Amino acid sequence: MVLKIYFPQCCNRADSGLMVGRWIAGHDSAVVLAVIHYPFIPGQVKRYIQQIQAQSGVELSVLGSWSLPKEGQEGMESFLRDLSTIFPQERWLQINREFGKTGFTCEVLTQDQNGGTTQLEAKKKKKVVEEGDGEAGGDGAEEGEEEKVIFVHYEQKKVMLSQLHPIENGVPDPKADPPSELRQMFRMVANSQPLFFLDKYDDGPLKTTHWQSEGREGSIIVELLKQASAPLCLLISWLLSIWTCFCNIRIFSLYPLRFLSTKLSTCIQLSYRTEHMRTLSSAKPAAGHTQFMRKANILVSLLVDVALGVLLMSWLYRDNHITMLANALVPAADHIAKELDELLQWLMGAPAGLKMNRALDQVLGRFFLYHIHLWISYIHLMSPFVEGILWYGGLSACLGLTFALSLLSDMVALLTFHIYCFYVYGARLYCLKIYGLSSLWRLFRGKKWNVLRQRVDSCSYDLDQLFIGTLLFTILLFLLPTTALYYLVFTLLRLVVVLFQGVLHLSVDFMNSFPLFAVGLRIFRSFRLAEGVKFRVLCEEPGTALHLMMEINPLKYGTVVQTYRTPTYSCYPKDSWTALVKKLFVGELIYPWRHKTTKTD
Amino acid sequence: MGDEAFTDINGKAISMDCHSHSGFCREFTVSSPKVSVGKVMVYTCCVWLLAYTVFFFTQNTAVLSSAILITLVGMMFHIHFVKVDHESLLVIGSLGIQVSSCYASGRETTTFIEMSKIKDIVINEAIYMHQIIYYLCVLLKDPAEPKAVSSVVPLFQSSKPRLNCLVKVYKSCQEILSKC
């Protein structure tokens, strides 16, 4: 059986002392967490270990002794062996290193039932491919098989801070296998924070070496932010409570306003951001890695959003851009109305060489022309206020770029309301016609739709029923091209508007859900998000055990985005392409983008 | 272990290097055939001739600059994401198996599979277009059922060595795996 010892890199040059760490249950491995230097009092060491155990919840024990003799220090062999009697363990590791050599040698003392100790010396054997039972060179009482040792060097700071993915939360499933060796090792190092407080420069009774032994690390900015965050959270939660009270006023629960607020994307975005602020301003610190990442992602995306919004505002309010926009808006609307006018005139004539039914054509054309005329008058009525509306609307960008985009989408929806109306009229007319035609076609063939059984049954019609049915069928059939053409034109216009709105919504959704903090962490501190580990064989010297360097294998970018995406009211197409085309053909009204609402309305 | 004359399934020469770090730790590296300069030149000339023809008719210099850009970007993309320089397998007894591919631009992707998840390493047959080829793969255990195989991780996918090379690797791996 191979014995694995996880040895921190920071202790490679530590002075001789005792190794403190833990054996991993179920596997033949030991994790060394720190080295306590000579001189020490064994009673104090035991007390210290118990204190750390109580604080961190990780079972610590003394693993063995570490010796890196300086010049002049000799003859520690027997002293080190005697130590094993002071700290009784099942297995006692004695690791030696000499200056100038890179390899370690390890001796394992096993305490068997009788209380006697047997020593198995682990030395690197000759490099042969076939390994039989290795013979023991040298002295000592070797029994049975050789104990092979692997030293796995790890960087303590990185392992402590990193999180293995896929994340296993909290409660372990009793039926599942126990966590793998690597996971246990990572968890052990991460939970041993209290061990890393005292180091060899402190004035305490014990001097230890670990990753913070060159001095404790800290950052003033981080500490200041931590101090400032508590009152800030209180302030935000107070503001949120006021805002929630305001939103729950009775007047807003009236039907029209409620309906509007579910349709306007600005209101949806507002409620969404309120949820976010509520998550951020909760007083208790984040429990667990996932919570922390979610909070951090929300905070960073909020800040970036506001920054971009302020940038947009600074561009908008400079150099009279708003006046330019407002002055361009009314002529643009006029231009669109004129184009629609020309389009209708073209349809009322002989569009693309098709011969339309004169009367129906005139009726439909005049009906839509009148609507356009109404709309243009409305726009002209509003034109003095446009600049004011734009000016105040632009202020909403200070809440974030997503708000500005949602407002733009809503404004586009309002301005193209007439196109939406035309589409609905055209679609309804066409739908009615198609249903009528299909029903009369069934009559033609002597069949009927059975509503009770939801199927087509044969039916015997009277002669006058057949006569009138056939007449109506013919009329509807010959009027079909006209209606179909109007329907086609207005559906295309509607689809253009829907596409534009869809693009806006998708970008808002992207900005809401993209985990910027996680991606930033992956770029700058890639060891914190670990997919696994990778090993590198360190150059070995003959006669020593195998040394491996364990490095953290960072998570791939795609996995980072997928794992840490903030769930949103994602905007995605409701129907597949075939269903959409079918709906268009039959004349059903299409609402291609679906919002996944978090609350049921 | 020296380099004998190994070939991949298409007949191109590859080289295999086996390094034994310790009694229970071995590393196998299989190097793929390198990109041939002739092929690169043929592709580049085709793209540029096409661009020149288009330029001849349209007299638009943007076509030429875009052709140069496309060639450069395509080459960089190929050596960074597509062309594998060598693949290696590191077997460490009682710790696990590490599979890594090194691309022509120096980028390395590594995966480490722990020993507790590994059921066995086997040579498997597969139908690959019109041929039947052998490939080496790692069988992973299913956590729910200890006897079932949950997934298969194929090794040396880009270099695709032939059976003689695979048998050597297989024998060495089995020696180590059987010991722990």
Side-chain angles (χ1 to χ4, degrees):
Chain A
M1 214 31 221
V2 181
L3 176 69
K4 290 163 277 201
I5 303 180
Y6 292 89
F7 201 78
Q9 271 214 309
C10 46
C11 295
N12 273 350
R13 293 179 176 275
D15 294 332
S16 315
L18 276 180
M19 297 192 303
V20 169
R22 201 180 159 198
W23 290 90
I24 300 184
H27 302 92
D28 220 0
S29 337
V31 180
V32 176
L33 291 169
V35 174
I36 302 181
H37 300 297
Y38 310 123
F40 56 81
I41 303 173
Q44 276 186 337
V45 171
K46 289 186 188 165
R47 220 175 307 138
Y48 180 63
I49 290 181
Q50 273 171 356
Q51 183 192 344
I52 298 286
Q53 246 174 255
Q55 268 182 324
S56 67
V58 178
E59 282 176 29
L60 283 182
S61 57
V62 177
L63 294 174
S65 69
W66 159 255
S67 103
L68 178 60
K70 301 223 168 56
E71 293 95 36
Q73 260 183 345
E74 303 288 348
M76 302 267 273
E77 289 287 326
S78 55
F79 172 60
L80 295 172
R81 204 162 307 189
D82 291 337
L83 272 178
S84 68
T85 53
I86 306 178
F87 299 99
Q89 302 288 336
E90 246 185 50
R91 275 192 280 195
W92 180 261
L93 305 168
Q94 259 174 249
I95 305 185
N96 295 322
R97 186 188 173 185
E98 285 163 43
F99 258 116
K101 286 198 189 168
T102 46
F104 302 171
T105 51
C106 175
E107 295 170 7
V108 183
L109 291 165
T110 328
Q111 207 111 27
D112 58 20
Q113 248 98 22
N114 301 338
T117 54
T118 45
Q119 172 187 337
L120 294 164
E121 191 165 314
K123 278 210 295 217
K124 178 78 173 64
K125 287 295 154 195
K126 308 182 274 283
K127 271 199 223 177
V128 289
V129 176
E130 269 86 57
E131 278 243 354
D133 293 329
E135 63 278 335
D139 50 280
E142 275 81 23
E143 304 196 347
E145 47 181 53
E146 276 295 323
E147 179 107 12
K148 299 174 201 124
V149 178
I150 304 181
F151 284 100
V152 180
H153 296 265
Y154 68 98
E155 276 206 44
Q156 209 163 38
K157 173 182 175 192
K158 292 194 176 171
V159 171
M160 191 180 81
L161 291 174
S162 96
Q163 167 74 36
L164 268 181
H165 293 77
I167 306 174
E168 276 171 26
N169 290 320
V171 186
D173 191 2
K175 282 190 295 195
D177 289 334
S180 66
E181 184 181 337
L182 271 176
R183 239 175 235 278
Q184 286 190 25
M185 185 241 169
F186 271 64
R187 202 177 296 163
M188 254 180 238
V189 179
N191 287 345
S192 322
Q193 289 262 17
L195 184 60
F196 303 134
F197 274 147
L198 288 181
D199 59 43
K200 66 184 180 196
Y201 299 110
D202 279 330
D203 271 335
L206 297 172
K207 307 209 179 302
T208 50
T209 299
H210 42 71
W211 70 275
Q212 289 210 353
S213 57
E214 298 304 314
R216 206 166 315 144
E217 290 186 359
S219 158
I220 288 191
I221 300 181
V222 171
E223 298 298 320
L224 280 176
L225 282 175
K226 277 191 199 163
Q227 295 295 326
S229 66
L232 206 65
C233 279
L234 278 175
L235 180 68
I236 294 180
S237 32
W238 179 72
L239 283 172
L240 270 181
S241 54
I242 296 184
W243 171 250
T244 330
C245 283
F246 176 68
C247 282
N248 289 340
I249 299 182
R250 291 290 297 278
I251 197 165
F252 287 142
S253 325
L254 290 180
Y255 171 66
L257 284 175
R258 201 182 184 78
F259 176 71
L260 266 184
S261 71
T262 55
K263 291 293 171 201
L264 287 177
S265 48
T266 322
C267 298
I268 299 179
Q269 178 71 9
L270 211 63
S271 70
Y272 186 61
R273 280 290 187 225
T274 323
E275 275 299 317
H276 279 176
M277 298 293 271
R278 203 166 285 146
T279 326
L280 277 181
S281 68
S282 67
K284 30 189 206 336
H289 177 83
T290 329
Q291 281 269 21
F292 167 71
M293 291 298 282
R294 179 163 302 174
K295 271 190 166 181
N297 281 326
I298 290 176
L299 183 67
V300 171
S301 80
L302 200 71
L303 289 176
V304 168
D305 201 13
V306 170
L308 285 175
V310 168
L311 214 69
L312 178 71
M313 258 174 62
S314 74
W315 174 82
L316 213 59
Y317 288 101
R318 201 167 32 129
D319 294 341
N320 275 337
H321 279 138
I322 290 204
T323 327
M324 271 168 35
L325 273 176
N327 289 343
L329 197 67
V330 175
D334 264 345
H335 178 75
I336 293 179
K338 203 160 64 77
E339 293 287 328
L340 275 177
D341 233 8
E342 279 180 20
L343 181 71
L344 282 169
Q345 294 291 351
W346 180 67
L347 283 177
M348 284 190 349
L354 295 168
K355 190 158 183 295
M356 303 269 106
N357 178 289
R358 197 108 187 96
L360 186 62
D361 216 359
Q362 294 286 326
V363 162
L364 285 178
R366 290 226 183 99
F367 178 61
F368 290 131
L369 273 174
Y370 180 60
H371 259 82
I372 293 178
H373 171 74
L374 271 182
W375 189 255
I376 281 296
S377 336
Y378 178 63
I379 295 269
H380 283 176
L381 207 69
M382 285 251 297
S383 62
F385 306 112
V386 166
E387 186 168 343
I389 293 175
L390 271 183
W391 204 92
Y392 288 110
L395 282 182
S396 77
C398 73
L399 287 175
L401 188 64
T402 45
F403 277 103
L405 287 177
S406 321
L407 205 65
L408 180 68
S409 154
D410 286 336
M411 274 178 31
V412 162
L414 280 178
L415 285 178
T416 56
F417 192 62
H418 55 317
I419 296 184
Y420 176 61
C421 284
F422 289 170
Y423 164 70
V424 171
Y425 298 153
R428 284 268 182 252
L429 213 60
Y430 179 75
C431 181
L432 219 64
K433 187 161 276 205
I434 291 285
Y435 274 113
L437 271 176
S438 58
S439 165
L440 290 172
W441 172 247
R442 281 193 281 269
L443 177 128
F444 229 29
R445 289 157 48 222
K447 299 210 184 290
K448 189 177 82 154
W449 174 253
N450 190 340
V451 183
L452 199 62
R453 304 258 177 135
Q454 295 286 314
R455 64 172 188 206
V456 177
D457 278 342
S458 60
C459 167
S460 61
Y461 290 101
D462 297 337
L463 194 63
D464 45 357
Q465 278 176 330
L466 277 176
F467 183 58
I468 295 185
T470 316
L471 265 181
L472 284 175
F473 178 76
T474 324
I475 293 173
L476 282 180
L477 186 66
F478 287 137
L479 290 180
L480 186 64
T482 319
T483 334
L485 202 65
Y486 274 94
Y487 172 65
L488 186 71
V489 165
F490 291 125
T491 310
L492 284 175
L493 283 174
R494 170 83 185 134
L495 282 180
V496 164
V497 171
V498 159
L499 212 68
F500 180 66
Q501 273 195 305
V503 164
L504 283 176
H505 283 168
L506 276 177
S507 48
V508 165
D509 191 45
F510 175 74
M511 274 195 271
N512 276 338
S513 71
F514 192 69
L516 268 175
F517 180 74
V519 171
L521 205 65
R522 168 68 183 84
I523 296 178
F524 296 112
R525 297 263 185 278
S526 55
F527 58 83
R528 290 197 61 169
L529 303 170
E531 189 183 31
V533 294
K534 50 187 176 195
F535 290 94
R536 197 161 43 96
V537 180
L538 296 173
C539 51
E540 65 266 19
E541 288 172 8
T544 56
L546 180 67
H547 290 268
L548 295 170
M549 177 72 201
M550 182 171 91
E551 286 159 346
I552 302 221
N553 203 9
L555 211 54
K556 295 200 220 327
Y557 287 103
T559 327
V560 170
V561 172
Q562 213 176 1
T563 324
Y564 292 111
R565 256 185 110 241
T566 325
T568 67
Y569 57 94
S570 51
C571 174
Y572 55 94
K574 180 155 63 164
D575 301 306
S576 63
W577 284 111
T578 43
L580 195 70
V581 168
K582 183 167 168 293
K583 276 195 184 167
L584 280 176
F585 188 70
V586 169
E588 264 180 56
L589 291 176
I590 49 170
Y591 298 100
W593 304 109
R594 176 162 69 153
H595 282 264
K596 194 164 62 171
T597 50
T598 47
K599 307 187 283 257
T600 51
D601 284 319
Chain B
M1 285 242 166
D3 301 350
E4 300 169 27
F6 293 117
T7 57
D8 69 355
I9 55 172
N10 295 324
K12 298 202 196 89
I14 57 172
S15 67
M16 208 261 291
D17 185 37
C18 171
H19 189 57
S20 182
H21 298 286
S22 137
F24 47 88
C25 173
R26 279 186 209 150
E27 185 166 8
F28 309 95
T29 314
V30 176
S31 324
S32 309
K34 309 276 187 245
V35 181
S36 66
V37 183
K39 238 181 165 183
V40 170
M41 285 193 45
V42 162
Y43 278 132
T44 320
C45 288
C46 280
V47 173
W48 284 356
L49 273 175
L50 192 69
Y52 194 71
T53 327
V54 175
F55 169 72
F56 184 72
F57 287 114
T58 60
Q59 294 296 327
N60 189 0
T61 50
V63 174
L64 293 178
S65 23
S66 65
I68 295 177
L69 211 67
I70 288 175
T71 329
L72 273 176
V73 168
M75 263 199 274
M76 289 201 308
F77 183 81
H78 185 78
I79 61 172
H80 194 72
F81 289 108
V82 175
K83 181 81 190 95
V84 171
D85 188 48
H86 59 262
E87 292 172 299
S88 75
L89 176 73
L90 175 69
V91 182
I92 309 168
S94 89
L95 203 57
I97 293 185
Q98 174 166 297
V99 182
S100 88
S101 324
C102 183
Y103 291 85
S105 64
R107 177 172 84 107
E108 257 195 78
T109 52
T110 323
T111 325
F112 178 73
I113 311 169
E114 288 183 73
M115 201 49 102
S116 53
K117 294 209 184 88
I118 296 178
K119 192 158 190 290
D120 205 358
I121 294 188
V122 294
I123 298 184
N124 218 353
E125 287 178 326
I127 300 178
Y128 182 70
M129 312 260 221
H130 53 277
Q131 318 167 310
I132 298 186
I133 60 167
Y134 296 98
Y135 64 100
L136 194 66
C137 60
V138 180
L139 302 177
L140 299 181
K141 274 187 210 162
D142 196 4
E145 275 177 74
K147 293 230 165 61
V149 173
S150 78
S151 55
V152 168
V153 178
L155 305 173
F156 300 125
Q157 282 198 286
S158 307
S159 26
K160 300 196 192 73
R162 282 200 178 162
L163 190 60
N164 46 2
C165 181
L166 293 179
V167 164
K168 277 206 166 60
V169 177
Y170 172 77
K171 280 196 183 140
S172 292
C173 289
Q174 286 295 337
E175 272 170 24
I176 299 179
L177 285 185
S178 59
K179 271 190 230 158
C180 42

